[in-house]
Amino acid sequence: MDATSFSTSQRRPFSVKLWPPSKNTRTMLVERITKNLTTESIFTNKYGRLGQEEAVESAKWIEDEAFTTASQHYEKEPDGDGGSAVQLYAKECSKLVVEVLKEGPKCKETTVPVENGSVVALETLFDISKGQRAFIEAKEAEELLKPLKDLPNTYSKICFSNRSFGLGAARVAGPILLLLKDQLKEVDLSDFIAGRPEAEALEVMNIFSSALEGCVLRSLNLSNNALGEKGVWAFGSLLKSQRQLEELYLMNDGISEEAACAISELIPSTEKLKVLHFHNNMTGDEGALAIAEVVKRSPLLEDFRCSSTRIGSDGGVALAEALGNCVHLKKLDLRDNMFGAEGGIALSKALSKQPDLTEIYLSYLNLEDEGAISIANVLKEGAPSLKVLEMAGNDITTEGAPALSACVASKESLTKLNLSENELKDGGTILVAKILEEGHDKLEEVDFNTNLIRRAGALCLAKVVARKAKFKLLNINGNFISNDGVDDIQSIFKKCPEMLASLDENDPEGGDEDNEGNGAEGGDEDDQEDTHLLEWKLKNLDVGQDD
């Protein structure tokens, strides 16, 4: 190379083009959007979720629209690096996701043949929940509900969520619902009295309850209505008439001990119940005893959610014993209660009878090592198809790591593992990472944030998950990883930075007081010694591990 060309190459500016995104990035974004449309979030709790098939199609449309908009923007700044196009791409995707959720699921249709051999599509879902949350009175109710009066029709599912019915609107709706009561199978009255005075709200509930009494419903959703005991009794005639329910939703309803007892008393039969969601209530231990009675009478239960309900050890034990009757359980969510070690041990006995579990959420139950080990030991021998395991925030230390690792080792179908906000440190983290190294090809998400982890543990875990073909997200934020360690980890994910969650809460100077003099890496040797001890314990749990 001559001097001129050498000089020219030195002056050539170096730039990185951020637009357009790769095909792989676009595909991963479609998958992420699909998940946002189908899983629990602030928006899906408010507007509802989409079915998997519809969500996939919607996600493809959202990504394509956002990509087109961003590409048009990029054409106007061809000399830029594409950074603003990437920002617009993300912003458009977020905006369109919310819009799609607000629109709700498309009306499901059935087809019937007519005399000339063609088919006619018939709507089965009547939904007025789309758009902004609003109060409605008699005049607007007449207009909104007009299609229901055109008989005969084929509506078997109604959703009145996100609209606050006043007394006048309820008096309009009541006679219309009476006309439909023999054909209705699914009724969603979630969040339909928001902002109304108690007396008016109770009367509205009484009107709807009387109108729907005797319907043979498959699904009933009364969530987000701050029912309390009075509200439960206001729906008494409807609840007492239900003997075929397969799904019942009572989330965020202010269900106290008294209200829980009323529910147990009012519902005559739950023999066909498959889904019971009871999230975010103030049930407490005494109320849990009443809910346990409902669970005990529900042998076909597949999906039980009783999270954030202020249940302590006594209530946890009662619920666990009741769940022992539910041998078909697939999804269990008990997060954010105070079961303690005693509740955890009782729960482990119930889990031994549930081989079909695919998702289990046991975070923030105060299980400690004793409860966590008991549960892990049982799950190790059962639930072969488990896909999601969450045990965050349970004060699990390195003592519980061998049992957790042994449990994870037997779960080849695992897609999500969340052990965040515990005290696993490097030793426990490395032990789990080594178990994940072989197999576990379906793994997509791992969360070990806030676990007192240093560079050694974080680096080991990062190297393992980065090699997984389907992996999408690693969260190791809130730990004590040195600056050099952060650099090493980020280099592992250099080609796919979206797979590494933010490290903005990492504390490179943090750590145990007895290691302060050695800096953030001072405890690595001690942690390695702990790791060898933990590996020895793991081998004694009869889990295959090469020397």
Side-chain angles (χ1 to χ4, degrees):
M1 181 183 291
D2 59 28
T4 304
S5 61
F6 179 77
S7 176
T8 302
S9 67
Q10 280 193 321
R11 291 196 300 268
R12 185 177 296 124
F14 175 76
S15 63
V16 176
K17 291 289 186 181
L18 301 177
W19 192 264
S22 66
K23 182 179 179 181
N24 183 53
T25 298
R26 294 185 64 184
T27 300
M28 288 183 65
L29 182 58
V30 169
E31 292 175 356
R32 183 66 60 86
I33 293 171
T34 301
K35 185 174 181 180
N36 289 341
L37 294 172
T38 56
T39 58
E40 182 185 346
S41 68
I42 294 173
F43 294 109
T44 55
N45 282 341
K46 183 174 182 180
Y47 302 116
R49 309 181 193 183
L50 300 189
Q52 183 66 28
E53 185 176 347
E54 185 178 350
V56 170
E57 292 303 314
S58 296
K60 291 177 181 177
W61 175 81
I62 288 170
E63 190 282 330
D64 188 62
E65 288 290 308
F67 179 80
T68 300
T69 300
S71 294
Q72 291 171 350
H73 172 82
Y74 180 66
E75 289 174 2
K76 298 176 182 179
E77 53 160 28
D79 295 330
D81 63 359
S84 60
V86 172
Q87 291 179 346
L88 181 60
Y89 182 48
K91 183 177 179 181
E92 284 295 303
C93 283
S94 298
K95 182 184 76 174
L96 291 172
V97 165
V98 175
E99 289 181 4
V100 167
L101 287 174
K102 283 183 177 180
E103 289 178 2
K106 297 174 183 176
C107 288
K108 295 181 180 178
E109 300 177 339
T110 56
T111 58
V112 295
V114 292
E115 291 182 1
N116 61 7
S118 61
V119 294
V120 177
L122 301 176
E123 292 183 350
T124 60
L125 171 65
F126 182 79
D127 187 354
I128 62 171
S129 66
K130 302 170 186 177
Q132 292 186 342
R133 201 177 188 198
F135 283 77
I136 60 171
E137 303 301 338
K139 186 176 180 180
E140 187 177 4
E142 287 276 7
E143 187 64 29
L144 277 173
L145 305 182
K146 189 175 180 180
L148 293 177
K149 297 170 68 175
D150 296 335
L151 298 176
N153 62 53
T154 55
Y155 292 117
S156 60
K157 309 170 187 179
I158 59 171
C159 179
F160 288 177
S161 180
N162 203 40
R163 301 298 178 100
S164 179
F165 280 74
L167 193 52
R171 287 171 176 159
V172 169
I176 296 174
L177 294 177
L178 275 170
L179 296 173
L180 301 173
K181 65 186 302 180
D182 291 336
Q183 66 191 61
L184 289 177
K185 298 299 179 186
E186 298 183 15
V187 171
D188 185 345
L189 299 179
S190 60
D191 192 23
F192 87 124
I193 51 166
R196 300 291 179 179
E198 181 182 285
E200 181 181 18
L202 290 172
E203 194 165 351
V204 168
M205 287 187 268
N206 270 305
I207 291 172
F208 274 83
S209 178
S210 297
L212 294 169
E213 180 182 359
C215 286
V216 183
L217 297 180
R218 188 190 75 82
S219 176
L220 177 61
N221 190 345
L222 300 177
S223 300
N224 302 312
N225 285 312
L227 296 177
E229 183 185 10
K230 293 180 181 178
V232 172
W233 284 109
F235 274 114
S237 57
L238 171 59
L239 292 171
K240 283 191 290 186
S241 68
Q242 298 308 304
R243 296 182 178 276
Q244 304 293 322
L245 272 182
E246 294 180 21
E247 299 179 6
L248 178 60
Y249 303 89
L250 295 166
M251 298 183 289
N252 194 30
D253 272 330
I255 304 296
S256 60
E257 170 193 338
E258 295 78 12
C261 291
I263 291 169
S264 180
E265 179 181 340
L266 284 170
I267 302 178
S269 173
T270 56
E271 290 180 357
K272 296 188 176 182
L273 199 65
K274 295 181 179 179
V275 179
L276 177 58
H277 282 199
F278 205 70
H279 167 71
N280 197 28
N281 286 295
M282 49 186 187
T283 313
D285 278 348
E286 295 299 322
L289 298 179
I291 298 304
E293 289 301 313
V294 176
V295 172
K296 196 179 297 183
R297 302 194 300 263
S298 308
L300 300 182
L301 200 62
E302 297 179 359
D303 182 350
F304 180 54
R305 184 181 185 191
C306 195
S307 49
S308 302
T309 47
R310 307 183 187 181
I311 297 175
S313 179
D314 291 342
V317 170
L319 270 181
E321 291 175 350
L323 285 168
N325 294 334
C326 307
V327 295
H328 301 287
L329 206 61
K330 296 179 180 178
K331 183 176 179 180
L332 177 62
D333 185 350
L334 299 172
R335 284 174 287 190
D336 191 24
N337 287 296
M338 292 296 289
F339 281 25
E342 185 180 354
I345 293 170
L347 182 59
S348 69
K349 296 176 182 177
L351 295 178
S352 68
K353 303 174 184 178
Q354 295 157 355
D356 298 329
L357 275 171
T358 58
E359 298 179 35
I360 184 165
Y361 303 89
L362 304 178
S363 297
Y364 310 108
L365 291 179
N366 196 33
L367 296 174
E368 301 181 333
D369 284 325
E370 186 180 6
I373 290 171
S374 182
I375 289 171
N377 286 340
V378 167
L379 288 178
K380 180 184 71 172
E381 304 298 335
S385 300
L386 194 67
K387 296 180 179 179
V388 177
L389 175 60
E390 289 199 9
M391 296 180 71
N394 277 305
D395 296 324
I396 306 172
T397 70
T398 52
E399 184 178 338
L404 285 176
S405 300
C407 171
V408 171
S410 66
K411 301 293 170 277
E412 283 294 329
S413 297
L414 206 63
T415 61
K416 182 178 181 180
L417 176 63
N418 183 354
L419 296 176
S420 63
E421 297 185 51
N422 285 299
E423 298 176 16
L424 293 173
K425 299 185 177 181
D426 275 359
T429 303
I430 292 171
L431 203 58
V432 175
K434 288 188 174 183
I435 287 295
L436 293 174
E437 198 165 10
E438 298 297 328
H440 296 88
D441 296 327
K442 298 179 181 178
L443 194 63
E444 296 179 1
E445 294 185 32
V446 170
D447 193 340
F448 269 64
N449 86 77
T450 319
N451 256 297
L452 310 179
I453 304 171
R454 299 174 184 276
R455 177 181 179 276
L459 198 56
C460 180
L461 185 59
K463 287 178 179 178
V464 168
V465 299
R467 291 195 290 265
K468 302 295 180 185
K470 296 185 178 181
F471 197 75
K472 296 177 181 178
L473 186 64
L474 170 65
N475 186 358
I476 47 175
N477 202 9
N479 286 299
F480 304 143
I481 309 167
S482 67
N483 291 326
D484 288 342
V486 169
D487 291 341
D488 291 339
I489 291 165
Q490 289 177 335
S491 69
I492 292 173
F493 294 99
K494 186 177 181 179
K495 294 183 179 180
C496 46
E498 70 280 359
M499 287 169 54
L500 179 63
S502 171
L503 292 171
D504 59 336
E505 294 182 7
N506 178 63
D507 181 7
E509 303 298 327
D512 299 329
E513 290 183 2
D514 57 354
N515 289 324
E516 281 184 358
N518 298 321
E521 297 303 316
D524 275 0
E525 292 183 3
D526 291 337
D527 285 332
Q528 290 293 343
E529 292 178 5
D530 289 342
T531 302
H532 295 315
L533 177 60
L534 291 171
E535 287 178 343
W536 180 83
K537 290 182 179 179
L538 184 62
K539 288 177 183 178
N540 286 320
L541 289 173
D542 297 324
V543 176
Q545 182 91 341
D546 293 335
D547 288 333

